[in-house]
Amino acid sequence: MKKLHDQTNCIHGPNHFEDPHGALTAPLYQSSTFKFANAAQGAARFAGEEAGYIYTRLGNPTTRELEEKLAQLEEMEDAAATATGMGAVSASVLSFLQQGDHLIASSALYGCSFALFAHMLPKFGIEVSFVDMTDLDAVKAALKPNSKMLFAETPINPNMTVLDLAMLGQFAQQHGLISVIDNTFMTPLLQKPKHFGIDIVIHSATKYLNGHGDVVAGVVCGSKEHIETIKLTVLKDIGATISPHDAWLINRGLKTLHIRMERHCESAQKVAQYLESHSKVERVYYPGLESHPGHRFIGNQMKAAGGVIAFEIKGTLSDGEQFINATELCTLAVSLGDPETLIQHPASMTHSPYTQEERLAAGISDGLIRISVGLEAAEDIIEDLEKAFLCI
Ligand SMILES: *Cc1c(COP(=O)(O)O)cnc(C)c1O
């Protein structure tokens, strides 16, 4: 069959569901367990000799629909849905690393990914090096005989630094490392890491994929072999399995992902340009602006710049506090990818797991403000920011 467009696949997925009653929307299988016809069937399912569901921690039809959609969108063989984005991050590292292995991680990461790598993995005898992944020489210098995995995100949360996926994918392949990219900020509609030789792609589905601010969830996409390992080890035995109800909501959210991403990108571009021209703004970090070093990746690695902007205002930390207290439409809350525009202060909020020294090394200044541009009218968002600037 002719390859369909992403926006079509977001709605239909690879396997058209035939409901016995003709329901248009695939039903929610809110069931913890599944009946076997007889003892032999139960045994055959446990032995993997017969396909079919057993128990929702091991698999569920509603969850499967989400996994199939994401695997198709990321152009990867398979996917595993998880209870949270951190469930996806932890499953992807714990399934493949063991005592004595070495992980090369980006020095700037989502705060809890950083905390997992910096504080938890070393407790299990896994070595971690944090490097500036914009610099190939720094990545090369981190390589050790026991290096097993490379982990990064792009654009980097919160300051929107863009990494060169082709460079990282090639480096990982040359050195036999499993490469993992957190693609939360882009979604598969704007960036497909697989095209650059990346092995595993993860998402916090809490953000754009669900897109309605009412679920926490995650997804890992990869080869059949990698996903089978994740499902049969960490997901089965540690248990960060998604709830079928949450999977159902994300299946619904995905149907509008395409138009939501278009609007998020369009409005973020307007807000970024407004901020860049503002006399009280020191610096804006948004790859859609020509002034941003990541701009050269737009149109090739990434289709558009996404919906998140970081900026520094001129003045003291308390001016920044006053500013985020003064916005009204822009809601003071962490998370991103929701219909509501959300504004937050990474140093004291999402990136507080970092020490100040670690944060500065990761390029996250104390005055940085992050805004996730929502689906409201861009003019209204800008007016709200303008009012807040008048308060400082
Ligand atoms: C939010 C986020 C996560 C963690 O996802 P949860 O769903 O909150 O567990 C991981 N990576 C990035 C880039 C994120 O923005």
Side-chain angles (χ1 to χ4, degrees):
M1 196 172 82
K2 190 174 159 282
K3 203 168 156 285
L4 297 171
H5 295 85
D6 280 351
Q7 67 193 91
T8 307
N9 292 332
C10 277
I11 296 165
H12 293 277
N15 294 316
H16 189 68
F17 178 80
E18 282 304 338
D19 180 68
H21 304 290
L24 173 67
T25 302
L28 162 56
Y29 288 90
Q30 186 77 33
S31 183
S32 53
T33 196
F34 296 85
K35 290 191 269 188
F36 307 132
N38 50 48
Q41 185 182 57
R45 288 202 182 161
F46 268 94
E49 291 157 3
E50 183 191 294
Y53 293 98
I54 297 174
Y55 183 69
T56 284
R57 177 157 38 77
L58 313 177
N60 172 288
T62 306
T63 303
R64 191 63 198 147
E65 188 191 343
L66 172 62
E67 293 171 342
E68 286 173 349
K69 271 190 180 179
L70 258 297
Q72 180 182 42
L73 290 169
E74 286 291 4
E75 295 179 22
M76 293 188 126
E77 285 174 2
D78 206 352
T82 55
T84 64
M86 283 315 299
V89 174
S90 58
S92 62
V93 294
L94 295 176
S95 298
F96 302 105
L97 299 180
Q98 61 183 37
Q99 185 178 25
D101 287 341
H102 174 237
L103 167 69
I104 305 177
S106 165
S107 53
L109 284 170
Y110 177 72
C112 299
S113 301
F114 175 78
L116 172 71
F117 299 168
H119 308 307
M120 188 101 84
L121 293 188
K123 285 207 304 195
F124 297 98
I126 298 164
E127 269 186 275
V128 185
S129 300
F130 292 98
V131 299
D132 172 3
M133 292 223 180
T134 59
D135 177 0
L136 184 59
D137 290 332
V139 184
K140 278 184 186 156
L143 195 70
K144 295 182 180 194
N146 57 339
S147 298
K148 182 107 186 264
M149 180 179 274
L150 179 145
F151 188 108
E153 60 192 38
T154 177
I156 298 178
N157 183 359
N159 53 15
M160 303 304 282
T161 303
V162 180
L163 300 180
D164 185 336
L165 285 179
M167 176 185 99
L168 295 176
Q170 194 185 24
F171 176 85
Q173 279 177 356
Q174 274 169 356
H175 299 283
L177 309 177
I178 301 173
S179 51
V180 186
I181 291 293
D182 181 337
N183 203 25
T184 301
F185 271 44
M186 288 280 93
T187 82
L189 299 194
L190 300 185
Q191 173 170 282
K192 295 191 201 297
K194 174 76 201 284
H195 291 177
F196 306 96
I198 299 300
D199 299 312
I200 293 178
V201 176
I202 63 166
H203 288 276
S204 167
T206 310
K207 316 292 168 55
Y208 293 107
L209 299 183
N210 178 59
H212 291 75
D214 46 16
V215 159
V216 286
V219 186
V220 189
C221 305
S223 68
K224 272 204 153 18
E225 199 188 330
H226 282 151
I227 297 303
E228 187 172 277
T229 301
I230 289 171
K231 285 192 171 179
L232 294 182
T233 60
V234 170
L235 272 192
K236 176 170 82 65
D237 299 335
I238 295 183
T241 311
I242 192 171
S243 142
H245 184 237
D246 291 345
W248 189 88
L249 285 169
I250 300 166
N251 284 329
R252 180 170 74 166
L254 280 174
K255 294 185 185 189
T256 55
L257 179 63
H258 180 80
I259 52 173
R260 286 189 285 108
M261 288 317 289
E262 263 180 23
R263 180 57 62 86
H264 282 298
C265 294
E266 198 184 296
S267 295
Q269 184 72 31
K270 289 182 188 163
V271 173
Q273 280 165 354
Y274 157 78
L275 289 170
E276 194 169 46
S277 68
H278 202 287
S279 61
K280 287 184 180 164
V281 174
E282 183 72 46
R283 190 160 168 201
V284 184
Y285 302 84
Y286 182 66
L289 298 173
E290 276 172 37
S291 58
H292 192 277
H295 189 68
R296 68 189 170 96
F297 292 102
I298 307 263
N300 39 69
Q301 176 172 303
M302 51 210 275
K303 270 198 191 141
V308 178
I309 303 167
F311 64 101
E312 280 154 1
I313 57 175
K314 287 184 184 153
T316 62
L317 199 55
S318 92
D319 289 328
E321 263 171 25
Q322 226 172 312
F323 178 81
I324 55 177
N325 282 336
T327 58
E328 286 173 26
L329 186 68
C330 301
T331 306
L332 180 52
V334 299
S335 201
L336 57 107
D338 290 339
E340 295 82 1
T341 295
L342 303 180
I343 194 161
Q344 65 113 358
H345 178 233
S348 67
M349 297 173 189
T350 48
H351 290 69
S352 57
Y354 284 79
T355 63
Q356 189 187 39
E357 197 185 330
E358 288 165 345
R359 238 185 356 257
L360 295 179
I364 304 163
S365 69
D366 281 345
L368 198 73
I369 292 171
R370 188 187 80 182
I371 174 164
S372 165
V373 176
L375 301 176
E376 305 96 337
E379 296 70 22
D380 294 340
I381 299 167
I382 290 170
E383 198 183 302
D384 190 51
L385 294 171
E386 184 63 29
K387 269 195 312 200
F389 278 122
L390 293 176
C391 298
I392 60 170

